[in-house]
Amino acid sequence: MNDSATTPVSTDLGPDASVDDLLAEADTLPCGPAERALLDEALRRADAAGDEEAAYATRMRLTQSAHMTGDTDTMFSSFGWCVGKHDADPQRFPITVDGCDLLFQYKWMAGRLSTNPTFSLAQIEAMHQDMQARYAAAGATMSGVVQSQFHIATVTGRLDEAATLLERRSSIEDDRYSHCEACVRNEDAWFHQLRGHDDEAIRIYDEMFENRMSCGEEPETSEAQALLPYLRAGRLDDAKAAHQRSYRVARSNADGFGIIADHLIFCAVTGNEARGLAMLERHLPTLVNDPINLSGHTDGLTAVGVLLDAVTRAGHGGLPVRGADAPELARYLGVAPADATDGAPRDDADWTVAAIAERAWASAERLARAFDERNGNDFRTARLEAARALATEHWDLPLSVEGFAAPVVEPEPAASAAEWRERTSALLQSADTTGAIVAAEQGLALLADESDPDENLRAGLFGVITQAAVIEGDEGRAGAAWTDRGIALRAAGRNAVAELEGRFGPALLGTATEDRLTALLAELDEARLVPVDPDRLIHTLVITARHAFELAGQQTEQEAAERFMGIADRLAGEAVLAAAVDDPGEAGPPARLLHAHLFAVTGRIQEAEELLDPLLEPGQRASVRLPALTLRTRMLGGAGAFAEGVALADELVGLQTTLGNRLGIIQACTLSAALLSDADRDREAAARMQLAITHARRAEVEDVDSLTLQLARYLQFAGDAATALEHYDEVYQARREQAAPGELADLLANMGEAARMIGEHGMAYGVWRAALDDAAAVGNDQVVIRTGFGLSTLLLQFEDDDAVEVVDQALAAARRLEDPQLLVQALQRAASARAAFGDDTGLPWFEEARGLATAHEAAWLVADITDSEARALGALGRADDATATARRAAAGFVAAGDENGAAVAEVFGARSRAAVDDHLGAVGLFRSARGRLPAGSPDWTTVTAELADAHERLEQHTDAALLRAEIEE
């Protein structure tokens, strides 16, 4: 179903734009909501003006758009209107208008009629007869007609008839109304697949892919259909590649669920049930986009059943299926067939995997029976049973890191106010202010029922509400809770603390200011006066130290930062010592944590660890242990102790799970992932990130995109660029409509790199070009440089001289940034790009780059620049200069301790000599390079073979034979 009725026309065209202008604008857009909105507006204006010719042209275009987006209702309506107009006045309403052809569109109609059992076979045949008569009148061959008849025979299960039509089609000459090569091959392969001839289907699919045949939904449709045949043929790598390529395209197709369905089944039979469930939840609402295409609904529901049965067998039948309760799916998934009599949605419906699987199968069976009744056979029911039988087929082909998150069971309501207080700490630490307030109110409610309540505990709970309200900016709630906290403190006998807090108000929990710190220091002087109230003293020390520590972080001048840090250090240490003697307000743990944090920031790690140790003991309360664990974990990461850090981060995940705190679980998983990535364990990092995303979706966290981007980065670091690209595209599709200029540049740059890694060079070019333009528009020089490097390298690979312009753009950005390292790289690349196309004007840039490297005492980099210069000279045909420069580069690498780099430079020099038939010069350089390489290594073998060839050219056959013998050994 097309939702263009609610899609605003977003265009630079003014309100007086003509129908032709709107159609021209629509032609610049892919089929989808934006394009459809323009067509609808063009049609509205044409109809309002009474311009039937314009309305005819618009509806011809609308038929095409509706076909591509799966809006069968609109397609039938606009096509029928056009046929009527053409038949009434062929001169005013010709067959072909602006590239749209009425006879060509006939090819789509019978197939769409077949997708709904309401249309009889006789009606479909009548459409074919009409089509045949019109083709004959137009002087066309019957190729398009027979292909349509073949398709109908195939999808209605009359396979013998389809075989006859296939043979007949082969004898008919193609013309402009023939189906395209890609579509013909797709239908042929599917026919053979349905007959059980997978070998023939695979042959056709392979031919399609090898020859890069494409059409509107090809090759992604064929790649999806080829998945099971590839698996059954043992071609698992081909199946994996086809899955990744096809899904990457199909996921953004408005009418793509028919393709997605094959991928769901693929995930079910390859052990990727979690990935399949995530895909299903992402696409489930689109299953019924086209309400007329009940054949597509049948296939989609069948795939849902296959996948969810597999999820259930994997032990996760109790998980909810997000999106299954969508109103548009109610006729299939919102009614339990066993006890529903009127088709009304059930309020008590079960939305778990197992329950949805049962209802999906039941609905698919009901639809299959309707098709079989129409077709006069059991074809659809038999296909349904074959799908059920897939439960017995399995191939182990792990694709991604997606896994099932352990369910977070909502904890039982706390039995005491003290337990609620513990939970508030976890919730506040994970920035769940709403949850913290709710938990605190639950604790207060329990205290209200007690005859002798703990007033200290009450004060703590009101303190939580105040802090959460301050964070949320709710001054009214913060003020009321602060007042109630003061009453509780006085009831607990802590009058001095209550008076202190009363003088400052809730702002004491807000952002630190210098004026407030000055006032707190004055309060502290008074608190130290004899007789000392330890509660007031320690409380004031901790609050004042926190303010000083926060102010230190706000400073831009080092001297000021050190001054505030010194105050914080002194006061936090005093608080820890005082609490060790007498701690009536239980301020010791916060004091220790604050002082440990300060030590960690200033690099005094051992002292920080000593302070944290008592807070990490197993018996400690969660409110103490959680922040201590978090700080220790980050400290371990900073010290490079990644394994120990990961262990603590996973302990954090477990503790947050026990508390039922999803936001805390997400943060702990993210921390664990970062540590794993730092330890070069990016695959595991991605798994942790996927777990975080799963919990984020279950918790309906708004910003899942940032987590998804990090997942994509970890996958890319791990070498799984294909899956990374899926996730990048997921975020891109979600953000592109609302993105401000430059906002997507970094994302597009990453997408380009991922596309390059998997050999999708066309995609890499497109997204890198978009990234470069987006970044340049807002002056994001970092992305301009990174993208310019990648894109220019790709262009050089294909000998496209646009590489020079692109790398020059990166060089200009590097000069603006004044980053020596980036500038050296840009100078090397720009000079090399020019030389690749015979332009020597960039050669002085090598000397400029060498000067920068020398100034920074980067000896290896100097050698590398010289090596690049040698290659540029070689590209310019200056063989003697290239060889001499390569020798200098080799000497530089040796001086920098890089024997392998020296060997590479000498090999280039040797090849330069061989290219001008100086084989004697080549021998010396090859021999020197060979001596630097480990004997028997692949590089040593290659150089030895080239050295032998050089001896042969000098007619030194004995030397050549001895060298080749060494290789054989």
Side-chain angles (χ1 to χ4, degrees):
M1 183 181 299
N2 195 294
D3 62 353
S4 62
T6 59
T7 303
V9 178
S10 176
T11 174
D12 294 330
L13 300 175
D16 298 327
S18 68
V19 171
D20 287 343
D21 290 336
L22 289 166
L23 293 179
E25 181 74 7
D27 285 337
T28 68
L29 301 172
C31 293
E35 174 245 18
R36 176 63 182 274
L38 287 167
L39 295 179
D40 286 346
E41 178 63 15
L43 185 57
R44 187 191 67 77
R45 295 187 188 186
D47 285 344
D51 188 343
E52 290 193 321
E53 285 87 347
Y56 182 78
T58 303
R59 283 190 169 90
M60 290 276 278
R61 180 70 174 76
L62 184 58
T63 301
Q64 179 175 305
S65 174
H67 168 66
M68 293 304 298
T69 57
D71 186 357
T72 302
D73 190 21
T74 296
M75 187 182 77
F76 282 164
S77 174
S78 60
F79 175 76
W81 189 93
C82 290
V83 169
K85 288 296 180 183
H86 169 74
D87 286 349
D89 191 343
Q91 295 302 314
R92 285 182 67 196
F93 308 106
I95 286 176
T96 302
V97 177
D98 297 334
C100 296
D101 191 304
L102 199 61
L103 293 184
F104 191 93
Q105 293 177 354
Y106 256 94
K107 299 191 300 180
W108 306 330
M109 299 304 147
R112 286 302 176 93
L113 289 174
S114 74
T115 65
N116 193 302
T118 303
F119 300 108
S120 68
L121 293 182
Q123 288 174 302
I124 297 171
E125 179 54 30
M127 175 63 75
H128 278 144
Q129 290 175 3
D130 184 33
M131 182 181 177
Q132 185 170 345
R134 291 176 185 273
Y135 274 39
T141 72
M142 292 298 110
S143 172
V145 177
V146 174
Q147 183 67 40
S148 180
Q149 291 172 328
F150 166 69
H151 171 73
I152 297 301
T154 300
V155 299
T156 56
R158 295 172 290 149
L159 299 185
D160 289 341
E161 181 182 338
T164 301
L165 289 164
L166 181 60
E167 185 176 351
R168 180 184 169 198
R169 188 201 68 202
S170 65
S171 65
I172 300 174
E173 183 180 351
D174 287 345
D175 65 3
R176 65 182 181 139
Y177 294 119
S178 298
H179 287 53
C180 79
E181 193 71 12
C183 292
V184 168
R185 298 300 179 89
N186 167 264
E187 292 186 2
D188 289 358
W190 182 237
F191 163 73
H192 290 299
Q193 212 168 317
L194 290 173
R195 299 190 83 186
H197 301 162
D198 278 4
D199 288 349
E200 180 60 17
I202 287 174
R203 184 191 67 76
I204 297 172
Y205 288 136
D206 284 347
E207 190 175 81
M208 287 182 67
F209 306 151
E210 288 166 7
N211 290 295
R212 297 183 177 274
M213 297 180 186
S214 64
C215 188
E217 292 187 345
E218 292 295 345
E220 59 268 23
T221 299
S222 293
E223 287 171 329
Q225 290 173 182
L227 293 173
L228 281 176
Y230 275 156
L231 290 172
R232 287 168 175 153
R235 293 173 56 176
L236 303 191
D237 288 345
D238 289 332
K240 178 179 179 179
H243 165 70
Q244 291 172 327
R245 286 194 306 268
S246 172
Y247 180 63
R248 189 164 59 246
V249 178
R251 62 182 294 153
S252 58
N253 184 339
D255 188 33
F257 200 89
I259 303 173
I260 300 297
D262 287 322
H263 293 287
L264 298 180
I265 291 174
F266 174 78
C267 289
V269 300
T270 54
N272 293 285
E273 298 90 351
R275 175 177 171 80
L277 181 58
M279 289 167 56
L280 175 64
E281 291 179 333
R282 187 178 301 126
H283 299 289
L284 187 55
T286 67
L287 187 152
V288 292
N289 267 8
D290 186 347
I292 291 178
N293 185 1
L294 299 190
S295 178
H297 298 182
T298 309
D299 291 338
L301 289 163
T302 300
V304 171
V306 171
L307 172 69
L308 296 185
D309 277 355
V311 174
T312 300
R313 288 193 299 274
H316 300 282
L319 286 176
V321 180
R322 291 183 307 122
D325 59 349
E328 58 268 28
L329 296 170
R331 57 176 158 157
Y332 296 136
L333 304 181
V335 176
D339 55 16
T341 57
D342 59 358
R346 289 180 51 201
D347 293 334
D348 62 339
D350 182 354
W351 305 109
T352 61
V353 164
I356 295 300
E358 181 180 347
R359 299 208 287 274
W361 281 118
S363 295
E365 289 167 0
R366 186 171 68 252
L367 291 170
R369 287 194 298 271
F371 277 105
D372 286 347
E373 183 177 348
R374 194 270 308 269
N375 298 335
N377 55 32
D378 66 350
F379 176 67
R380 295 304 293 258
T381 301
R383 284 186 60 198
L384 201 67
E385 292 308 310
R388 283 190 182 276
L390 288 170
T392 65
E393 297 188 67
H394 180 80
W395 296 267
D396 189 21
L397 185 59
L399 292 173
S400 69
V401 298
E402 285 167 303
F404 295 106
V408 176
V409 180
E410 292 300 325
E412 292 293 324
S416 68
E419 289 183 35
W420 281 117
R421 178 68 181 86
E422 291 302 299
R423 292 187 188 183
T424 63
S425 296
L427 293 165
L428 266 184
Q429 187 183 339
S430 55
D432 184 357
T433 53
T434 301
I437 289 172
V438 170
E441 289 174 341
Q442 294 284 345
L444 289 168
L446 288 179
L447 284 174
D449 294 334
E450 295 182 11
S451 58
D452 185 21
D454 183 337
E455 294 296 342
N456 265 323
L457 184 53
R458 191 197 303 274
L461 290 168
F462 278 123
V464 167
I465 294 175
T466 306
Q467 186 172 355
V470 167
I471 293 170
E472 292 181 347
D474 188 342
E475 293 181 5
R477 171 175 260 173
W482 197 245
T483 298
D484 289 335
R485 172 177 166 82
I487 294 170
L489 286 170
R490 286 184 174 87
R494 301 176 66 189
N495 294 317
V497 172
E499 290 170 5
L500 167 69
E501 293 187 354
R503 285 191 287 275
F504 286 89
L508 202 59
L509 302 180
T511 304
T513 66
E514 291 193 41
D515 287 345
R516 194 179 307 126
L517 176 62
T518 300
L520 283 168
L521 288 169
E523 288 279 351
L524 192 54
D525 288 340
E526 290 189 18
R528 291 194 177 103
L529 296 176
V530 177
V532 173
D533 180 340
D535 187 15
R536 176 190 178 189
L537 175 61
I538 298 170
H539 193 69
T540 309
L541 283 167
V542 172
I543 291 173
T544 310
R546 180 185 69 79
H547 272 67
F549 187 34
E550 186 177 328
L551 283 168
Q554 296 174 11
Q555 304 309 305
T556 56
E557 297 294 331
Q558 184 176 353
E559 184 177 346
E562 289 177 352
R563 178 169 65 85
F564 287 118
M565 191 67 81
I567 295 171
D569 185 4
R570 176 170 54 82
L571 298 183
E574 185 180 344
V576 170
L577 292 174
V581 176
D582 187 5
D583 187 14
E586 297 185 349
R592 278 183 169 273
L593 186 67
L594 175 62
H595 207 194
H597 196 175
L598 188 150
F599 281 151
V601 167
T602 55
R604 296 152 70 181
I605 301 303
Q606 185 175 351
E607 292 165 278
E609 289 176 346
E610 290 172 358
L611 282 166
L612 287 175
D613 282 342
L615 307 182
L616 293 170
E617 292 175 358
Q620 276 285 9
R621 306 190 313 272
S623 59
V624 172
R625 204 152 190 276
L626 273 175
L629 266 175
T630 302
L631 179 56
R632 173 62 70 81
T633 302
R634 295 186 184 282
M635 288 166 53
L636 288 168
F642 302 122
E644 295 92 331
V646 168
L648 287 188
D650 289 345
E651 190 176 340
L652 270 174
V653 173
L655 187 53
Q656 297 282 20
T657 301
T658 301
L659 294 168
N661 181 14
R662 279 198 188 274
L663 291 181
I665 295 170
I666 294 165
Q667 292 167 0
C669 285
T670 303
L671 178 56
S672 177
L675 292 168
L676 285 163
S677 181
D678 287 341
D680 294 326
R681 294 161 60 185
D682 289 296
R683 190 81 185 174
E684 295 172 73
R688 293 290 198 289
M689 211 67 226
Q690 183 61 62
L691 183 62
I693 290 170
T694 301
H695 281 293
R697 286 178 174 150
R698 300 290 178 200
E700 298 183 352
V701 172
E702 288 186 6
D703 186 19
V704 179
D705 285 353
S706 59
L707 301 176
T708 304
L709 284 176
Q710 197 56 57
L711 167 63
R713 292 297 287 161
Y714 291 144
L715 287 167
Q716 192 168 351
F717 295 156
D720 188 358
T723 308
L725 193 55
E726 283 183 19
H727 294 297
Y728 284 136
D729 186 59
E730 179 183 342
V731 177
Y732 174 72
Q733 297 298 336
R735 291 184 174 180
R736 64 176 182 170
E737 295 296 334
Q738 304 298 324
E743 187 178 334
L744 297 178
D746 191 63
L747 168 58
L748 289 166
N750 290 334
M751 289 178 69
E753 177 59 24
R756 182 204 63 78
M757 289 172 67
I758 60 174
E760 293 283 357
H761 297 126
M763 180 187 296
Y765 172 82
V767 294
W768 264 335
R769 177 62 74 179
L772 195 60
D773 293 343
D774 201 31
V778 296
N780 186 341
D781 286 333
Q782 288 282 359
V783 175
V784 167
I785 294 167
R786 181 159 65 95
T787 306
F789 286 175
L791 180 55
S792 61
T793 300
L794 181 67
L795 291 168
L796 282 168
Q797 180 181 338
F798 289 93
E799 300 180 355
D800 187 332
D801 60 5
D802 282 352
V804 174
E805 178 186 348
V806 170
V807 78
D808 279 356
Q809 194 173 350
L811 175 56
R815 290 193 187 281
R816 287 192 296 270
L817 279 183
E818 298 182 353
D819 181 318
Q821 186 174 359
L822 288 176
L823 181 54
V824 166
Q825 292 182 57
L827 288 165
Q828 282 182 268
R829 289 171 181 268
S832 298
R834 274 176 160 66
F837 296 102
D839 181 353
D840 65 359
T841 59
L843 291 180
W845 290 338
F846 287 117
E847 191 57 43
E848 182 182 351
R850 244 189 318 269
L852 287 168
T854 301
H856 287 81
E857 299 181 349
W860 184 92
L861 186 54
V862 170
D864 184 64
I865 295 165
T866 306
D867 184 64
S868 295
E869 183 180 16
R871 295 168 193 278
L873 290 165
L876 291 166
R878 294 165 56 177
D880 290 348
D881 291 337
T883 304
T885 306
R887 290 183 186 277
R888 290 204 312 276
F893 280 124
V894 170
D898 184 359
E899 290 288 332
N900 188 72
V904 170
E906 287 174 332
V907 167
F908 173 76
R911 289 170 179 167
S912 297
R913 301 321 307 154
V916 294
D917 292 329
D918 179 9
H919 301 295
L920 184 60
V923 164
L925 285 164
F926 276 134
R927 192 170 292 283
S928 177
R930 179 174 181 263
R932 301 184 192 280
L933 298 169
S937 67
D939 289 340
W940 178 89
T941 300
T942 298
V943 172
T944 301
E946 292 190 58
L947 176 57
D949 290 342
H951 278 297
E952 287 284 9
R953 285 173 173 76
L954 292 170
E955 297 187 359
Q956 297 170 352
H957 304 300
T958 300
D959 291 334
L962 289 171
L963 288 166
R964 292 193 175 107
E966 286 187 50
I967 295 173
E968 293 299 324
E969 292 174 1

